[in-house]
């Protein structure tokens, strides 16, 4: 890890505070700061007893557990000896009451086709597909790769795996054949579930073709199930490939959920390491299920009548936890959209919200920044009065982008929950509870009940308030990853070796006077200027507060005098790049946060390199800033041409 050393300086002075609107707080399940504090303290005194109390009632147990937590650092087992089933908790549990005929999924395809599945219908489809899996010889413990568009069948496939104890590994349907093969092989997948193709901005992407190429290098895969989605010609290999629809026609709708051990693997999700091969993050059944259910209910102040829209794809953890397992185990109605948020026009998001009456919108800062760039008019032409709550996930949100979300989308009426978590944490770890915790733009505010974060220096000692340091979690929690698939050593080394006994998140953070957490970016991204360790987000937020800046990324490059100099990459709105603007931006940062943080180099660019989930890949920009070829894993890069263009723009 570069830039080791814990402490990070802060230069950001964000003082705005937004208490929960009185009307919102009055109706919220947790409606005051005192209530949150009481719950938090209760949980902090004895987290094990706290989670034990919840697990008993929040999940269905085929057999009760005998021990709440078994902790042999860094290996945790929660609810030891119990038997449950995540598919049962998401579906069967709702069938005896009024939720039976409630919409579980309201779906819209990119071309505009629509479907609604009630809990009863979804249950039936999942049971049938679970029988399809069984007919192909799958059983508990087998790994299934899922490479599909955001259709209801993707959720059906996940829940059908969970029903019989097969372990799903969802691979984002934009990844290459190489990436599929690598994941198939690492997990020893026995089956791939895919579709003929998918729609993306009106164009057809041939998914089955990518799977065919991957299978030439995936010796463990025995069968493929193919959903017809777009109707293109596909190659079907007899004895290996089967049509989803044909298999479903023959399948029985009777498939009781298999009672599974609490620690049975529910899924693997590959996440890219900064170097080396992707890590298969392993989540298990009971603890994960409990954690995503409760965090969903707390953070989104869940109400039965809500339509909840999380715009994430199920190829990411956000889709797993807050499209599928969290909301469905809570009995919520989830809106699911298949396509691009700017197709056929830049108002698709707002159009969907208006037409379905969406109440809660959960999206990523990258999407918000894109909307800002496209212009307010797209938002303003729609009636968004159904919205009551907004959320963000995946990256820090720059305060000015937060203010735009608050003003233009939320009409200063909707609280914003800025949720900090990771693929590894399984669910939301820090976030405002919208009826209880006043928000500050750019802060994820406070930890959720049962979560004990601490900001430490490199020796593991807690740092003072206002000092940035490494973010750790000091007590195991039910949703935590249980390991890296097939690589316990890498798991122990990556997350638990630097600060023994504490989970190292890999992010820097600081606490302010009110005990609010501010995430300062990845540890590896810190910029060290003349011995001052600056966080990327603070420099970027200063730039984004300039009216002509749409997006910004800050990185360090070697400098003989200062150790590192600050190089920033900027995309513009309503302005043409020129020298005068460069000077203006340098001075703007100087004025906003100080001379120390004034960028040395400003690179204007049309786009920033991002992962497919929308995160800026600063590591690659670092190479561009110092004129190096990029090494390491780029399989998650959204658009390879961005890098080439950035280099060309340098020349
Ligand atoms: O650096 C943090 C950033 O995203 C990382 C986790 O990424 P991933 O595993 O892909 O999970 C994304 C969905 C949860 C974190 O280590 N991150 C995520 N949310 C925030 C954030 N940074 C600042 N603020 C957030 N709200």
């Amino acid at each position: 890890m570069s830039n080791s050393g814990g402490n990070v300086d802060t230069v950001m002075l964000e003082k705005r505070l937004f208490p929960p609107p009185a009307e919102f707080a009055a109706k919220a399940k947790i409606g005051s700061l005192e209530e949150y504090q009481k719950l938090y303290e209760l949980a902090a005194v004895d987290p094990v007893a706290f989670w034990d109390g919840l697990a008993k009632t929040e999940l269905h147990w085929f057999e009760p557990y005998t021990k709440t937590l078994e902790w042999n650092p860094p290996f945790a087992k929660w609810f030891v000896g119990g038997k449950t089933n995540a598919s049962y908790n998401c579906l069967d549990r709702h069938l005896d009451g009024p939720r039976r005929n409630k919409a579980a999924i309201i779906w819209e395809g990119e071309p505009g086709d629509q479907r609604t599945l009630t809990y009863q219908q979804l249950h039936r489809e999942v049971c049938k597909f679970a029988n399809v899996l069984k007919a192909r010889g799958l059983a508990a413990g087998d790994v299934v790769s899922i490479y599909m568009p955001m259709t209801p069948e993707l959720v059906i496939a996940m829940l059908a795996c969970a029903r019989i104890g097969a372990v799903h590994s969802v691979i984002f349907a934009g990844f290459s054949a190489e990436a599929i093969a690598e994941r198939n092989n690492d997990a020893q997948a026995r089956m791939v579930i895919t579709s003929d193709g998918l729609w993306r901005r009106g164009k057809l992407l041939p998914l089955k073709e990518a799977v065919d190429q991957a299978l030439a290098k995936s010796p463990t895969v025995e069968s493929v199930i193919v959903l017809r989605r777009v109707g293109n010609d596909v190659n079907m290999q007899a004895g290996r490939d089967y049509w989803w629809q044909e298999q479903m026609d023959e399948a029985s709708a009777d498939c009781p959920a298999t009672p599974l051990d609490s620690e049975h693997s529910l899924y693997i999700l590959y996440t890219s390491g900064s170097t080396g091969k992707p890590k298969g993050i392993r989540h298990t059944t009971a603890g994960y299920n409990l954690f995503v259910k409760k965090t969903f209910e707390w953070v989104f102040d869940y109400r039965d009548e809500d339509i909840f829209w999380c715009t994430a794809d199920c190829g990411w953890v956000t889709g797993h936890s807050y499209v599928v397992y969290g909301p469905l185990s809570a009995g919520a109605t989830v809106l699911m959209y298949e396509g691009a948020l700017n197709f056929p026009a830049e108002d698709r998001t707002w159009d969907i919200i208006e037409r379905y009456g969406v109440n809660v919108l959960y999206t990523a800062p990258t999407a918000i920044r894109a909307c800002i760039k496209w212009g307010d008019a797209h938002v303003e032409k729609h009636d968004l009065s159904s919205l009551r709550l907004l959320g963000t996930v995946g990256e820090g949100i720059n305060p000015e982008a937060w203010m735009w979300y608050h003003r233009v989308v939320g009409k200063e009426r909707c609280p914003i929950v800025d949720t900090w978590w990771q693929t590894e944490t399984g669910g939301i770890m820090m976030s405002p509870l919208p009826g209880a915790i006043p928000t500050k733009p750019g802060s994820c505010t406070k930890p959720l009940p049962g979560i004990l974060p601490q900001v430490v220096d490199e020796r593991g000692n807690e740092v003072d308030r206002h000092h940035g340091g490494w973010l750790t979690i000091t007590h195991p929690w039910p949703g935590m990853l249980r390991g890296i698939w097939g690589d316990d050593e890498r798991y122990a080394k990556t997350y638990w070796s630097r600060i023994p006994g504490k989970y190292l998140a890999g992010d820097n953070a600081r606490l302010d006077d009110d005990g609010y957490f501010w995430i300062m970016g990845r540890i590896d991204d810190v910029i060290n200027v003349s011995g001052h360790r600056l966080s990327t987000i603070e420099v970027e937020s200063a730039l984004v507060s300039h009216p002509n800046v749409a997006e910004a990324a800050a990185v360090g490059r070697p400098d003989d005098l200062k150790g590192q100099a600050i190089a920033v990459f900027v995309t513009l709105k309503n302005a043409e790049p020129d020298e005068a603007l460069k000077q203006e931006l340098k001075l703007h940062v100087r004025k906003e946060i100080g001379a120390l943080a004034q960028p040395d180099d400003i690179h204007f660019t049309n786009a920033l390199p991002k992962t497919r989930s929308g995160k800026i890949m600063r590591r690659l920009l670092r190479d561009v800033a110092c004129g190096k070829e990029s090494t390491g894993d780029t399989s998650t890069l959204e658009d390879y041409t961005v890098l080439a263009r950035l280099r060309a723009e340098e020349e």
Side-chain angles (χ1 to χ4, degrees), residues 318 393-396 418-423 507 519 522 615:
T318 311
V393 57
E395 276 187 297
D418 173 351
T419 62
W420 177 84
W421 58 294
Q422 308 177 296
T423 306
D507 284 342
I519 305 295
R522 300 294 296 165
K615 279 193 229 301

Side-chain angles (χ1 to χ4, degrees), residues 271 316-318 362 365 392-397 418-425 427 430 442 444 505-507 519-522 537 611 613 615:
T271 173
W316 316 119
V317 73
T318 311
Y362 189 37
T392 69
V393 57
E395 276 187 297
I397 181 162
D418 173 351
T419 62
W420 177 84
W421 58 294
Q422 308 177 296
T423 306
E424 291 87 341
T425 69
M430 295 202 261
C444 59
D507 284 342
I519 305 295
M520 302 172 84
R522 300 294 296 165
I537 186 96
T611 64
S613 60
K615 279 193 229 301

Side-chain angles (χ1 to χ4, degrees), residues 309-324:
W309 184 17
C310 165
T311 65
D313 192 284
C314 286
W316 316 119
V317 73
T318 311
H320 283 64
S321 301
Y322 300 107
V323 174
V324 184

Side-chain angles (χ1 to χ4, degrees), residues 11 534 538-546 549 552 554 566 568 570 582-600 602:
V11 284
L534 301 176
E538 295 189 352
V539 179
E540 291 158 6
S541 294
L543 284 158
V544 172
S545 72
H546 187 281
V549 175
I566 303 176
V568 300
V570 171
K582 272 192 188 173
Q583 282 314 315
E584 190 179 320
L585 292 181
K586 285 185 186 178
L587 292 176
H588 178 76
V589 175
R590 189 188 182 97
K591 180 171 77 52
E592 290 289 309
I593 54 178
L596 187 67
Q598 176 175 318
D600 296 273
I602 296 205

Side-chain angles (χ1 to χ4, degrees), residues 14 151 157 219 253 396 603 612 615 646:
E14 177 57 58
T151 51
H603 306 262
R612 298 185 181 229
K615 279 193 229 301
L646 274 171

Side-chain angles (χ1 to χ4, degrees), residues 323-342:
V323 174
V324 184
Y325 291 108
L328 296 181
S329 46
T333 296
V334 172
L335 187 121
M336 195 174 168
Y337 169 59
E338 178 186 38
L341 293 174
N342 60 347

Side-chain angles (χ1 to χ4, degrees), residues 45-210:
V45 169
D46 190 349
V48 175
F50 174 72
W51 291 116
D52 176 35
L54 291 174
K56 290 215 164 75
T57 53
E58 301 283 337
L59 299 180
H60 170 80
W61 294 100
F62 295 101
E63 276 175 39
Y65 51 90
T66 49
K67 193 169 179 198
T68 306
L69 171 66
E70 198 175 290
W71 180 222
N72 295 313
F75 300 100
K77 288 185 178 165
W78 282 89
F79 313 118
V80 184
K83 287 200 190 318
T84 183
N85 183 295
S87 172
Y88 188 98
N89 289 318
C90 287
L91 301 169
D92 308 53
R93 266 203 131 187
H94 308 306
L95 298 184
D96 291 340
R99 285 183 186 146
R100 179 171 50 191
N101 294 314
K102 173 182 174 174
I105 298 177
I106 299 178
W107 176 81
E108 181 161 297
E110 191 182 83
D113 38 346
Q114 302 176 340
R115 280 162 66 194
T116 297
L117 284 132
T118 63
Y119 273 94
Q120 185 163 229
Q121 288 171 317
L122 184 60
H123 174 258
R124 183 179 160 81
E125 295 294 300
V126 168
C127 287
K128 288 180 78 169
F129 196 66
N131 279 327
V132 170
L133 297 178
K134 283 188 185 166
R136 296 268 61 81
L138 286 190
D142 289 335
V143 177
V144 176
S145 293
I146 301 180
Y147 183 72
M148 293 181 87
M150 274 292 278
T151 51
E153 283 76 10
L154 169 49
V155 180
I156 291 165
M158 291 165 74
L159 291 174
C161 287
R163 199 160 187 86
I164 65 166
V167 183
H168 58 70
S169 163
V170 182
I171 304 170
F172 175 63
F175 280 162
S176 64
E178 264 321 302
I180 306 171
E182 186 175 23
R183 287 155 174 75
N184 282 342
N185 291 330
D186 187 73
Q188 304 273 292
R190 287 191 64 195
M191 177 190 269
V192 176
I193 305 171
T194 188
S195 70
D196 50 1
L198 65 72
W199 297 117
R200 180 65 22 163
R201 294 194 179 84
K203 289 209 193 77
L204 190 156
L205 278 182
L207 294 193
K208 176 63 166 52
E209 249 177 65

